[in-house]
Amino acid sequence: AQKVTQAQTEISVVEKEDVTLDCVYETRDTTYYLFWYKQPPSGELVFLIRRNSFDEQNEISGRYSWNFQKSTSSFNFTITASQVVDSAVYFCALSELTQGGSEKLVFGKGMKLTVNP
Amino acid sequence: GAVVSQHPSRVICKSGTSVKIECRSLDFQATTMFWYRQFPKQSLMLMATSNEGSKATYEQGVEKDKFLINHASLTLSTLTVTSAHPEDSSFYICSARDPGTSGRSSKETQYFGPGTRLLVL
């Protein structure tokens, strides 16, 4: 079975600090997708990134960057120069093929980030 | 990114009543939508996969007669919680898969609605 582990449950930082959110996954699929979503206090999940298993290039988007390493089955997320608006719960997710042939997401437990001014 | 709406955003109902939640993809057609449930401070758990024009596929342990799903069009899926009880109180979130413009047939991104907070008294 697929599994996503976010070992950190809660992190608190001071504004402008860098913070890395860890994600480790388990899968037997050779082709899969990894995702990060942000859930602010309002509850809506905001899509941040999708990465396929064949693309190990790191990605940077503004203050966000992602490090995908298949050798360690990790897909870590770094926020540089954190801001108060980054405070949210962040979920890492892995796509899984269902018995019916469609795909579903398996989510990690989430990591609550609090950025203090 | 693609936009998904949910209605209502919040509902309070009496035990024994039924509640319908709508999920709409606003700027794309979604052949597949998903319904999740999230308890406080917990992760999202998939309840069912909703396919347009066919029966929903329920996850193990989810009662299909209690959580009725209808996906009548490419932009609308509904979840009806029948005979709701206090233990059904939760945050229900839908997502829709945007097939995108690349022509890929799988692994598209799921975009989530804002969620519906259900409180059953």
Side-chain angles (χ1 to χ4, degrees):
Chain A
Q2 319 271 39
K3 187 177 176 181
V4 177
T5 302
Q6 293 180 253
Q8 310 138 311
T9 55
E10 199 162 344
I11 294 179
S12 184
V13 300
V14 177
E15 210 169 15
K16 297 185 182 178
E17 280 187 44
D18 298 346
V19 58
T20 296
L21 288 58
D22 297 333
C23 175
V24 175
Y25 62 93
E26 295 177 31
T27 180
R28 291 183 179 178
D29 291 349
T30 55
T31 302
Y32 52 89
Y33 279 68
L34 293 160
F35 302 80
W36 274 96
Y37 287 89
K38 172 183 179 181
Q39 187 177 40
S42 60
E44 180 175 2
L45 265 81
V46 179
F47 166 74
L48 296 178
I49 190 171
R50 176 186 68 200
R51 170 68 70 210
N52 79 53
S53 53
F54 296 107
D55 183 1
E56 287 193 71
Q57 280 191 334
N58 291 332
E59 182 157 339
I60 298 175
S61 177
R63 296 184 297 107
Y64 295 169
S65 62
W66 291 269
N67 182 279
F68 176 30
Q69 293 194 353
K70 286 182 76 171
S71 60
T72 56
S73 297
S74 66
F75 186 43
N76 297 336
F77 172 31
T78 298
I79 301 175
T80 304
S82 60
Q83 299 177 2
V84 173
V85 292
D86 296 327
S87 298
V89 178
Y90 291 85
F91 290 96
C92 180
L94 169 71
S95 63
E96 176 183 42
L97 199 63
T98 67
Q99 288 186 342
S102 63
E103 282 122 32
K104 67 176 185 180
L105 292 179
V106 175
F107 283 86
K109 291 187 176 181
M111 199 289 296
K112 182 179 180 181
L113 173 65
T114 302
V115 182
N116 299 300
Chain B
V3 180
V4 177
S5 70
Q6 258 182 265
H7 178 80
S9 58
R10 186 184 298 267
V11 58
I12 301 174
C13 69
K14 292 183 179 180
S15 186
T17 60
S18 294
V19 176
K20 179 186 281 188
I21 304 170
E22 292 186 350
C23 178
R24 294 181 184 273
S25 55
L26 298 185
D27 52 1
F28 65 99
Q29 293 185 328
T31 54
T32 304
M33 292 184 173
F34 302 85
W35 287 96
Y36 295 83
R37 184 173 181 176
Q38 185 181 30
F39 290 106
K41 298 186 179 181
Q42 293 190 24
S43 189
L44 283 78
M45 297 300 297
L46 180 66
M47 298 175 65
T49 301
S50 171
N51 299 297
E52 188 268 336
S54 63
K55 291 183 179 179
T57 303
Y58 289 82
E59 295 298 298
Q60 192 172 8
V62 178
E63 299 176 61
K64 60 181 180 181
D65 294 331
K66 180 166 185 63
F67 299 100
L68 301 178
I69 291 173
N70 184 281
H71 194 155
S73 76
L74 288 172
T75 59
L76 173 64
S77 175
T78 60
L79 168 68
T80 300
V81 183
T82 62
S83 187
H85 288 92
E87 58 265 30
D88 298 324
S89 299
S90 188
F91 189 53
Y92 292 87
I93 312 175
C94 73
S95 71
R97 189 160 61 198
D98 182 358
T101 57
S102 69
R104 287 171 292 188
S105 61
S106 62
K107 313 289 187 183
E108 303 94 345
T109 299
Q110 287 185 35
Y111 291 93
F112 286 80
T116 297
R117 295 193 185 279
L118 171 63
L119 175 61
V120 184
L121 303 176

